Amino acid sequence: MKAKQSLFGMMSAFLAVLLLLAGCATNSFPPAPAMAADADYNYVIGPGDTVNIVVWRNPELSMSVPVRPDGKITTPLVEDLPAIGKDATTLARDIEKALEKYIREPVVTVIVTSFVGPYSQQIRVVGEAAEPKVLPYRQKMTLLDVMIAVGGLTEFADGNHATILRTAEGNKQYSVRLDDLLKDGDVSANAEVRPGDVLIIPQSWF
């Protein structure tokens, strides 16, 4: 019996050391930079977005249409036109080119009215968030904005060991201090996110 207790104690101690080392490894990531937004960022259209198409002097061709899961849109006279990955101006020019077969010098304006964005630019929150989810990116979006959108942390979250996986930088990881930000109101722990970021919130072991 004593041998079993001793073995159990050794295993428990070994597990504790592993968890400690894991925590230290997590802390080895550099802190997320406070400023990360790209000044030249333009929103690009993704599946699930809704676009309002206005064709000047042709109200019968003007309407709001959804971007299909395959990334294309369909309007009168224009079928299966790719929209994914384009900004509103580029899509408007493409629609004009398609309409030139039927209308003389068409003038088109495209306004995005419902934002989802392409999958590659969405913000993903996984782990111990109250409501893990996928969020559309918005210019100057911060960690605080993200955490409000997911309802904060669970009671089991280890917020100060959370990390950001930044796909825009070759999956580089940064450490973030969500506990300090949300529980202590430490605004220095806030940081901007970038399109495609994955926020990983681990569970606390203690």
Side-chain angles (χ1 to χ4, degrees):
M1 178 65 72
K2 290 184 178 180
K4 290 183 178 179
Q5 291 177 341
S6 177
L7 180 60
F8 179 76
M10 291 174 62
M11 292 178 63
S12 298
F14 181 67
L15 180 59
V17 171
L18 285 179
L19 292 173
L20 180 61
L21 291 175
C24 292
T26 301
N27 285 330
S28 68
F29 295 122
M35 308 296 288
D38 185 352
D40 297 326
Y41 171 77
N42 285 318
Y43 181 82
V44 293
I45 297 165
D49 285 353
T50 300
V51 293
N52 186 27
I53 300 170
V54 179
V55 183
W56 188 53
R57 292 184 176 177
N58 290 270
E60 70 280 2
L61 301 178
S62 302
M63 62 182 61
S64 289
V65 297
V67 181
R68 304 195 311 249
D70 62 0
K72 299 177 181 179
I73 62 171
T74 296
T75 68
L77 303 182
V78 180
E79 294 184 351
D80 298 333
L81 181 68
I84 187 173
K86 300 176 182 178
D87 60 27
T89 300
T90 301
L91 181 57
R93 300 293 83 78
D94 288 349
I95 295 173
E96 288 175 351
K97 291 178 182 178
L99 290 176
E100 285 176 351
K101 302 175 183 178
Y102 314 100
I103 301 172
R104 183 177 180 181
E105 297 182 354
V107 177
V108 176
T109 301
V110 171
I111 303 170
V112 184
T113 57
S114 178
F115 300 89
V116 175
Y119 299 124
S120 62
Q121 296 200 1
Q122 293 171 353
I123 306 298
R124 290 169 171 80
V125 184
V126 298
E128 295 300 316
E131 299 178 36
K133 64 176 64 175
V134 177
L135 304 169
Y137 173 78
R138 290 174 172 78
Q139 179 73 320
K140 295 291 184 179
M141 194 177 196
T142 68
L143 281 171
L144 184 57
D145 298 323
V146 171
M147 293 313 301
I148 290 172
V150 300
L153 301 170
T154 70
E155 60 179 312
F156 305 108
D158 187 359
N160 277 355
H161 284 89
T163 59
I164 288 176
L165 180 70
R166 183 147 289 163
T167 61
E169 297 177 8
N171 292 333
K172 184 175 182 179
Q173 281 190 267
Y174 294 99
S175 63
V176 291
R177 297 180 290 118
L178 298 180
D179 284 337
D180 291 349
L181 175 63
L182 300 177
K183 297 178 180 179
D184 300 333
D186 184 356
V187 295
S188 69
N190 201 16
E192 293 177 350
V193 296
R194 291 189 63 182
D197 277 0
V198 181
L199 178 59
I200 306 168
I201 307 172
Q203 186 178 37
S204 175
W205 294 96
F206 304 99

